[in-house]
Amino acid sequence: MRATERFEVILNELPRNWSTAQLVLTVEREADPERAALVLAPLAPGRRNRTFRFAVAAPGAAGPTVDAVKRAVARLDEESITARISLDEVTAHESAQEETGGVGVSLAAQWDELSRAWPPRWSDALIELELASSDDIDPGALLLAPANPLLQHGTQSFRFRAAQRFGYGISSSMLRRCLERLDERAISGTLSLVRLLSETHPVATQGPVWRIASRSV
């Protein structure tokens, strides 16, 4: 199996809420490691002899993107560098629905469970809502309008900010009410925390800016 094909298999086997995955790539021929090192350099891999270790990051997580890894692995195949690629470790997003172990847990209840674990003085959060059905994207966007949701390209997930005291982001009480409205319309999904900050004190700004996948959010 070519390295590109094996990488696609690995991607398809990752859990839905994966954040980063650690991959191990071993070059088979002793003459090829130096050439492979040049191809894989943009991924900043660790190396030991013919074995390379590097990460691949889901959208929104820090690290080499899926597209960047695909390009590098495809170049290995194009240059006839035979390599075995395998999955070493996976890190997943914190998911309120998974923590409660329930199926069909209301979004408002997921918010209560998710935010309960945060520090009392949390100030800013970046949150993701993955809808169970793509049919709910338009009505979901309407009901979440106060949160200024951003639909993630190629997905049925919205991301939005929440702020506990001040700054840019929906308040906890307003967010919970929006989620209750989604529940009332039988719109289901999974709520996850992407980023969280505590005790920020913006000066002449609307709040902190996260840098995720080379984009400011």
Side-chain angles (χ1 to χ4, degrees):
M1 182 181 292
R2 290 160 58 90
T4 49
E5 296 170 346
R6 176 56 185 156
F7 181 56
E8 289 292 345
V9 170
I10 290 172
L11 287 177
N12 291 333
E13 292 177 347
L14 292 174
R16 288 176 57 190
N17 65 330
W18 75 280
S19 175
T20 58
Q22 298 294 326
L23 303 177
V24 177
L25 184 145
T26 302
V27 177
E28 294 192 349
R29 291 192 296 263
E30 293 186 3
D32 289 340
E34 296 305 324
R35 295 170 58 212
L38 292 175
V39 172
L40 298 173
L43 307 180
R47 177 185 173 185
R48 184 175 182 181
N49 299 325
R50 289 183 290 161
T51 298
F52 298 82
R53 292 178 180 271
F54 53 88
V56 57
T65 65
V66 170
D67 286 342
V69 176
K70 282 183 177 180
R71 287 193 298 270
V73 173
R75 278 195 60 195
L76 293 177
D77 287 339
E78 290 167 4
E79 298 191 15
S80 299
I81 300 174
T82 306
R84 301 189 309 274
I85 185 169
S86 60
L87 178 65
D88 184 43
E89 184 179 2
V90 179
T91 302
H93 285 298
E94 177 185 359
S95 168
Q97 188 168 5
E98 290 180 357
E99 287 185 356
T100 57
V103 176
V105 178
S106 74
L107 292 172
Q110 289 186 51
W111 167 249
D112 291 342
E113 184 68 22
L114 192 64
S115 59
R116 188 178 298 122
W118 298 353
R121 294 180 65 82
W122 74 271
S123 52
D124 304 271
L126 181 63
I127 302 161
E128 180 169 312
L129 171 59
E130 181 181 2
L131 298 175
S133 171
S134 58
D135 293 339
D136 293 329
I137 290 177
D138 288 342
L142 181 62
L143 295 171
L144 278 173
N148 192 26
L150 179 63
L151 182 65
Q152 301 301 291
H153 180 69
T155 74
Q156 52 200 47
S157 298
F158 291 107
R159 282 191 178 176
F160 48 88
R161 296 177 59 150
Q164 183 164 225
R165 298 188 303 278
F166 49 77
Y168 177 65
I170 189 171
S171 68
S172 298
S173 57
M174 178 59 75
L175 174 56
R176 194 180 195 286
R177 182 57 190 139
C178 289
L179 295 174
E180 288 176 342
R181 290 169 180 159
L182 291 170
D183 290 334
E184 291 166 3
R185 289 282 299 273
I187 296 176
S188 60
T190 301
L191 203 63
S192 301
L193 173 66
V194 181
R195 294 285 190 274
L196 182 69
L197 294 174
S198 296
E199 298 191 54
T200 57
H201 300 282
V203 177
T205 71
Q206 289 296 309
V209 174
W210 285 283
R211 193 76 175 170
I212 299 177
S214 301
R215 297 179 59 187
S216 298
V217 296

